[in-house]
Amino acid sequence: TFPKELGVVESMLVENPIWKERTFDVGVLTGKQALEMGCSGPIARASGIPWDLRKSNPYSCYEEFDFQIPVGSRGDVYDRFLVRIAEMKESVKIIQQALDGLPEGPWNTSDRKIAPPPRHELDTSMESLIHHFKLYTEGFHPPVGEAYAGIEGSKGELGFYVISDGSNRPYRWHERPSSFMNLKSLEVLAVGRLLADVIAIIGSIDIVLGEIDR
């Protein structure tokens, strides 16, 4: 049902003169500005930056899927809208390919030191009960070192930097929230515009308040 409903939104808005008047050439962000401010995701792509971690640094099994990176040219509110519409279509393609290629067999690891044992094992296995207890009270003891990993979230690059001292608690933990990075562009996008335009601009940035409340 999703592609059909998405088609309704497209037919209602893409060529709607009122929608275009409120979004076309509003909140323009150039590719150079997007890079300088560390923007990522649909905002950067709408400004002509074809950057997507699923393509540039594939993780999970994204390299096995056939999908495109929608890119805009003007970097305005309208382009950010079009990019998201196109990305929803690409997401449907990815989901369909994933469903078609879904393998048989267990979906989780059987290593009880990594993943909690299933509930039914706890009634019959003392070893499983111990694993369950240690995982939830102690957690993991990763080796000493540091690591950064980023994924392509719906708002852009969502990254995590962790330093381990060998204990079960991170020595340092820092998150790179895409909404926090993208929101920095608001001043550039809103300069010289009407106050009413700010509503459309913030909507096109598509922030999650939990990522910027710090």
Side-chain angles (χ1 to χ4, degrees):
T1 60
F2 181 77
K4 180 182 177 182
E5 295 302 322
L6 183 59
V8 172
V9 175
E10 274 193 281
S11 62
M12 193 164 49
L13 294 178
V14 171
E15 296 301 332
N16 186 309
I18 299 175
W19 179 260
K20 293 180 75 171
E21 185 177 346
R22 292 303 307 273
T23 59
F24 207 86
D25 283 337
V26 173
V28 175
L29 184 72
T30 67
K32 182 174 182 293
Q33 289 171 326
L35 288 174
E36 287 176 346
M37 288 185 283
C39 296
S40 60
I43 292 182
R45 291 191 282 273
S47 298
I49 308 298
W51 181 258
D52 189 317
L53 289 176
R54 297 172 299 177
K55 287 283 191 182
S56 59
N57 302 86
Y59 55 92
S60 188
C61 57
Y62 277 111
E63 67 276 3
E64 300 176 16
F65 299 133
D66 177 28
F67 65 99
Q68 304 301 316
I69 304 177
V71 177
S73 56
R74 291 181 307 277
D76 56 9
V77 171
Y78 187 70
D79 256 10
R80 291 193 279 277
F81 158 71
L82 291 180
V83 164
R84 285 189 172 88
I85 290 288
E87 289 192 345
M88 283 188 272
K89 294 179 179 179
E90 295 301 313
S91 294
V92 170
K93 285 170 54 179
I94 293 173
I95 292 170
Q96 190 60 60
Q97 292 174 72
L99 290 173
D100 293 341
L102 199 63
E104 298 290 337
W107 56 270
N108 203 356
T109 177
S110 59
D111 188 343
R112 302 300 185 229
K113 294 186 187 320
I114 297 175
R119 180 66 183 82
H120 66 85
E121 281 188 16
L122 302 183
D123 297 330
T124 57
S125 171
M126 178 57 72
E127 186 178 12
S128 294
L129 191 62
I130 292 172
H131 283 315
H132 181 278
F133 178 77
K134 288 180 70 66
L135 274 175
Y136 283 104
T137 57
E138 294 183 15
F140 299 99
H141 289 264
V144 175
E146 57 187 277
Y148 174 83
I151 65 165
E152 188 66 38
S154 60
K155 322 294 182 185
E157 181 176 349
L158 179 61
F160 300 90
Y161 174 63
V162 186
I163 299 178
S164 168
D165 59 3
S167 70
N168 61 343
R169 294 178 182 273
Y171 172 74
R172 182 166 173 78
W173 165 283
H174 182 72
E175 181 182 341
R176 183 203 185 279
S178 42
S179 291
F180 185 74
M181 305 297 290
N182 292 338
L183 189 61
K184 293 191 299 182
S185 66
L186 180 60
E187 183 178 357
V188 173
L189 298 176
V191 166
R193 304 300 312 184
L194 298 173
L195 185 61
D197 292 333
V198 177
I199 307 302
I201 292 170
I202 292 178
S204 73
I205 300 175
D206 191 24
I207 60 173
V208 174
L209 284 173
E211 290 189 359
I212 61 176
D213 183 16
R214 50 183 58 215

